[in-house]
Amino acid sequence: MFLLNPRHNDRHYPDPRSSEIMAKTIAFFENKGLDKLKEDYNGAVWYADFLEFCKAEGILSSVMTPAQHGKSGECAVWDTWRVCGFAEVLGFFGLCYWYTYQVSVLGIGPIWMSKNKPLQAKAKALLDQGEIFAFGLSEKEHGADIYSSDMIVTKLADGTYQASGGKYYIGNANKAAMVSTFGKMADSGEYIFFVANSQHPNYELVKNTVYSQNFVAEYRLNAYPFTEAEVLHHGDDAWNAALNTINVGKYNLGWASIGMCTHAFYEAIDHASNRHLYGKTVTDFPHVKQLFTDAYTRLVAMKLFALRAADYMKTASAEDRRYLLFNPMVKMKVTTQGEEVINLLWDVIAAKGFEKEPFFAMAAADIRCLPKLEGTVHVNMALIIKFMANYFFNPKSYPEVPRRDDGSNDDFLFNQGPTKGLGSIQFHDFSEAYNSYDLPNLAVFKEQIALFKDMAMKAPPSKEQAEDIDFLLTAGEMFTLVVYGHLILENAKIYGMDEALIDQIFDFMVRDFSKFALQLYSKPSSSEAQMAQCLKMIKKPVVDATRYESVWSQHVQSMKGQYTMPR
C-alpha cells in the first residue's frame, strides 16, 4: 500500500534502527489510544509523555543528529528519507506532536550550520538528554521579515554582549534548552545568531500565543548577557543560516499534512461505507464516489511529489540546487492540497467531522495551520516564480536522480552556502517526464502547458503586472501545477503506479489548471491577448467510466477497513 498504514508500516530503511524508531513511535501512540489522544488535545495538555518517550528511546537524538556528530552504535544520521517518514507518522497521530519535533529541527539547524564546535557538542549532549530546541526568528511587528529585526545586540567594552528585544510565535520557547536567536548589532546593523537559555532570569516568557498542546511563545530578552562562546554566526553567515535552516525545516510541513490527511481518510471512508441513507450505502452515491476519488488522488499526488522532492534534497550540491524550487512547493502546494483533501472528505461526512471522538476534528482544525507556517503561501509563491523562466526556457542536462532511500547523511543541507543566485539555477527538461506516459488526461494537460508557455512568450506580464502580486500569484499557481505534475510523473515511474490512477490524477490537474486560467482571465489587469490565451487553456478532462471505476474499486474503496486507531 502506497499510503501509510500503521498496521503494515513496511517502508524501506537500510538499517534496523530507523525501522525501530518508526515502529516504537507508532506503538507509543497506539498504546496511548485515540480517547486519551483527543482528551489531551481538547484539554491543551503539554505533551510531556511524548517527550519522555522520545528521551527514553533516544529518538530525537538519532533523527536530529548529523552523522559526524553521532555516537558509535546510535545510528545518528540526518537523512531526509528517514525524516519524512518520521514526520508523516507524527502527523498521522497529531499535529502537536509533529510540531514540537519540527520547531526543534528549526532550532538546531543554525547550530549544526555553525563553526562553533563547543556549542555543537553541547547541543548533542542536550539531545541525548531528551531536550528540545527553539528557533527565535519571527517577531510580533515584523513576522518573518528578518530585514527588520528589532532584537538588538550591543557589544560591551569588555567584549561581551547584551541582547534586548522580543520574539513572537516561537514554538518550544517555554522549555527549549537552546533557543537559536536572530538579531542585529546595535552599532553596525550586522546580523548575529546566538543561543539563549529559556530558563535564564533575563529571558522573559511573556505568554503562550495559542490555546493548544503546543507552547508557541512570545518571549523577551531583557539586557540578556552572553559571550562570544554563545555566538553561532555573524553577518552574512547569520542571514544564510536563517534562510537555509528554513529550507531544511519547511519541507516537513508537507509530511505533516500527508500524515493527517491519511488518518482522516481512513476514518471518513469507514464512516461512509458503513452508513446507509435512502436505501443505499453512502459510498454508492455518485457525488460521494467523486469526492472520495478526488480526495484519494490528491493525497497520492501529494505523497508522490513530496517523496520525489526528498530525492532532490538528498542529491543537492553547490552545482545542483534544484531542491530550492521543489522544497518550497512541498511547503506551499502539498499543504494547500491537504486543505483540499480535508474539505472533500468533510463534504462527505458532514456533521461527523465536528464530533469530539474521531481524529477528523483535529485534522480539520489543524490542517489550516500548515500553509501559514514557515512563510505564507504567498511568500513561497513569490520565491517559486523566480525559477519559471529557466525552468521553461533554459534547461540543463543532469545525471538522473534515483530513489534516495540509501540512508546516507545529508551533509549539504548544513552547508548550503549563500542564499543568493536563485535566478541562475537551471532544471532538467520537464518534457521528458511528460512524454514518459501516453495517457488521455495527461495529453490534455500537456496542451494546457503549451498554451501557458505560449502566453509567457507572446503575452508576457507587463511592467505593471510584474509588480502586481495578485496577478503573479495566479500565474504562479499555473506554473506550480506544471512542476507538480513533473515530479509526480517521475515518481510514478519509480514506484510503478497504476496508469489508470495516474490518469485520474491528471483529471483533477486539468480541472485545477482550468480554474486558475479562468482566474487569470478575470484579473482586472489581464490584457486581451492574455484573456484569449486563458480561454484556450480552459479544458475538460477526458471522461472514461472504465478507468474511473477501476480507480474507485482497486484504490479508493479498498481503503475501507484498513486502519482504525485503538481507543
Side-chain angles (χ1 to χ4, degrees):
M1 179 180 284
F2 184 67
L3 297 176
L4 171 65
N5 184 341
R7 292 280 188 275
H8 309 285
N9 188 34
D10 54 0
R11 188 171 189 263
H12 171 259
Y13 293 101
D15 62 283
R17 172 60 174 158
S18 295
S19 298
E20 178 187 54
I21 286 169
M22 306 306 158
K24 287 187 173 181
T25 303
I26 289 167
F28 167 81
F29 287 110
E30 295 208 316
N31 290 334
K32 184 181 180 82
L34 184 56
D35 290 342
K36 179 61 174 169
L37 191 82
K38 292 297 299 280
E39 179 185 327
D40 287 356
Y41 176 84
N42 292 325
V45 176
W46 175 253
Y47 26 66
D49 59 342
F50 174 65
L51 295 176
E52 196 57 40
F53 155 74
C54 289
K55 175 182 177 180
E57 297 293 343
I59 286 178
L60 295 186
S61 190
S62 286
V63 173
M64 290 173 51
T65 302
Q68 63 268 34
H69 299 287
K71 299 181 300 186
S72 176
E74 74 172 338
C75 194
V77 59
W78 198 294
D79 168 23
T80 299
W81 173 261
R82 182 165 79 171
V83 162
C84 62
F86 185 59
E88 182 183 23
V89 168
L90 294 183
F92 188 95
F93 291 106
L95 188 66
C96 292
Y97 302 96
W98 168 88
Y99 184 77
T100 192
Y101 160 68
Q102 164 68 4
V103 290
S104 288
V105 166
L106 293 170
I108 209 166
I111 299 172
W112 295 141
M113 293 177 190
S114 175
K115 294 182 175 64
N116 190 324
K117 301 299 182 184
L119 278 183
Q120 290 180 335
K122 180 180 178 181
K124 174 55 179 165
L126 290 167
L127 271 176
D128 290 347
Q129 294 165 27
E131 299 291 344
I132 53 178
F133 295 76
F135 186 54
L137 187 68
S138 67
E139 298 179 5
K140 189 171 186 177
E141 301 303 325
H142 308 295
D145 175 12
I146 57 179
Y147 290 102
S148 305
S149 178
D150 287 334
M151 177 65 71
I152 302 302
V153 178
T154 302
K155 190 166 188 178
L156 305 179
D158 63 358
T160 64
Y161 298 89
Q162 279 188 357
S164 293
K167 294 292 179 180
Y168 196 79
Y169 223 78
I170 310 301
N172 283 355
N174 59 324
K175 296 286 188 181
M178 299 174 82
V179 183
S180 298
T181 302
F182 184 86
K184 275 183 178 179
M185 296 302 299
D187 53 357
S188 64
E190 182 181 74
Y191 299 114
I192 184 170
F193 236 132
F194 62 97
V195 170
N197 180 350
S198 68
Q199 308 307 306
H200 193 282
N202 295 58
Y203 180 107
E204 178 188 355
L205 188 64
V206 178
K207 64 179 179 179
N208 191 353
T209 63
V210 298
Y211 184 79
S212 168
Q213 287 184 262
N214 301 314
F215 202 106
V216 187
E218 177 183 1
Y219 73 85
R220 292 195 60 80
L221 300 185
N222 301 312
Y224 184 95
F226 64 99
T227 69
E228 193 65 36
E230 281 78 53
V231 175
L232 294 167
H233 304 275
H234 286 286
D236 289 345
D237 288 343
W239 175 270
N240 292 331
L243 296 184
N244 288 335
T245 294
I246 293 169
N247 287 339
V248 174
K250 68 183 176 184
Y251 170 79
N252 296 338
L253 277 79
W255 285 100
S257 186
I258 291 165
M260 279 196 292
C261 288
T262 304
H263 196 159
F265 195 101
Y266 284 123
E267 283 194 340
I269 194 79
D270 280 359
H271 171 70
S273 299
N274 292 294
R275 186 168 172 79
H276 306 281
L277 297 172
Y278 310 112
K280 287 186 174 183
T281 303
V282 167
T283 49
D284 290 338
F285 289 102
H287 70 291
V288 170
K289 290 175 67 173
Q290 182 64 59
L291 289 165
F292 270 125
T293 301
D294 261 16
Y296 180 85
T297 51
R298 288 179 188 274
L299 180 51
V300 168
M302 289 160 62
K303 189 165 184 177
L304 282 169
F305 181 87
L307 280 170
R308 190 61 176 148
D311 296 336
Y312 285 97
M313 287 179 69
K314 288 190 66 64
T315 306
S317 67
E319 295 73 37
D320 182 357
R321 300 169 72 202
R322 288 174 287 176
Y323 75 105
L324 290 175
L325 169 57
F326 306 141
N327 174 292
M329 281 187 56
V330 175
K331 183 266 173 279
M332 182 275 290
K333 183 66 178 177
V334 171
T335 61
T336 53
Q337 283 292 286
E339 286 189 284
E340 182 67 18
V341 169
I342 294 297
N343 288 342
L344 291 163
L345 296 175
W346 209 345
D347 280 347
V348 174
I349 66 171
K352 186 76 176 175
F354 295 100
E355 293 183 6
K356 64 182 180 180
E357 288 86 3
F359 176 85
F360 193 94
M362 288 170 56
D366 291 344
I367 200 73
R368 315 293 172 199
C369 304
L370 294 166
K372 300 164 184 67
L373 299 174
E374 320 310 340
T376 64
V377 168
H378 311 112
V379 168
N380 281 274
M381 182 63 81
L383 170 65
I384 287 163
I385 290 170
K386 294 180 180 180
F387 301 110
M388 187 161 68
N390 272 354
Y391 181 89
F392 275 141
F393 303 113
N394 188 23
K396 176 183 175 180
S397 179
Y398 290 93
E400 185 174 348
V401 173
R403 170 171 153 170
R404 292 297 309 274
D405 57 354
D406 50 82
S408 59
N409 192 74
D410 297 340
D411 296 334
F412 179 74
L413 293 184
F414 298 97
N415 188 29
Q416 296 174 59
T419 56
K420 58 189 179 182
L422 300 184
S424 65
I425 297 173
Q426 292 175 271
F427 301 86
H428 55 301
D429 186 352
F430 68 93
S431 66
E432 294 177 6
Y434 278 98
N435 292 333
S436 64
Y437 287 95
D438 182 14
L439 300 169
N441 280 312
L442 180 57
V444 176
F445 193 72
K446 286 164 65 175
E447 291 175 19
Q448 291 174 311
I449 296 172
L451 290 163
F452 184 66
K453 282 184 66 179
D454 282 347
M455 185 176 73
M457 290 186 291
K458 297 173 183 175
S462 66
K463 184 174 182 289
E464 293 76 17
Q465 287 172 330
E467 297 172 354
D468 179 359
I469 189 65
D470 182 53
F471 182 91
L472 290 179
L473 284 173
T474 303
E477 290 280 11
M478 298 165 81
F479 169 56
T480 297
L481 277 171
V482 180
V483 183
Y484 200 55
H486 176 183
L487 294 203
I488 288 168
L489 289 167
E490 285 189 357
N491 226 12
K493 282 283 186 190
I494 291 171
Y495 283 86
M497 305 301 284
D498 177 10
E499 290 195 0
L501 179 59
I502 300 167
D503 203 43
Q504 194 64 41
I505 287 172
F506 278 91
D507 178 288
F508 81 72
M509 295 277 283
V510 169
R511 285 183 276 128
D512 285 0
F513 204 96
S514 299
K515 175 184 71 176
F516 291 125
L518 179 59
Q519 288 181 9
L520 198 66
Y521 171 92
S522 303
K523 295 296 178 189
S525 65
S526 57
S527 67
E528 291 295 331
Q530 290 166 344
M531 290 164 65
Q533 201 74 357
C534 284
L535 288 177
K536 295 177 186 176
M537 294 182 216
I538 298 173
K539 296 184 179 294
K540 179 179 178 179
V542 176
V543 177
D544 184 333
T546 302
R547 177 201 71 227
Y548 178 79
E549 287 299 326
S550 170
V551 170
W552 168 254
S553 61
Q554 294 185 32
H555 298 282
V556 185
Q557 197 174 33
S558 66
M559 292 282 284
K560 178 181 70 173
Q562 293 297 312
Y563 179 81
T564 302
M565 186 174 177
R567 299 217 71 88

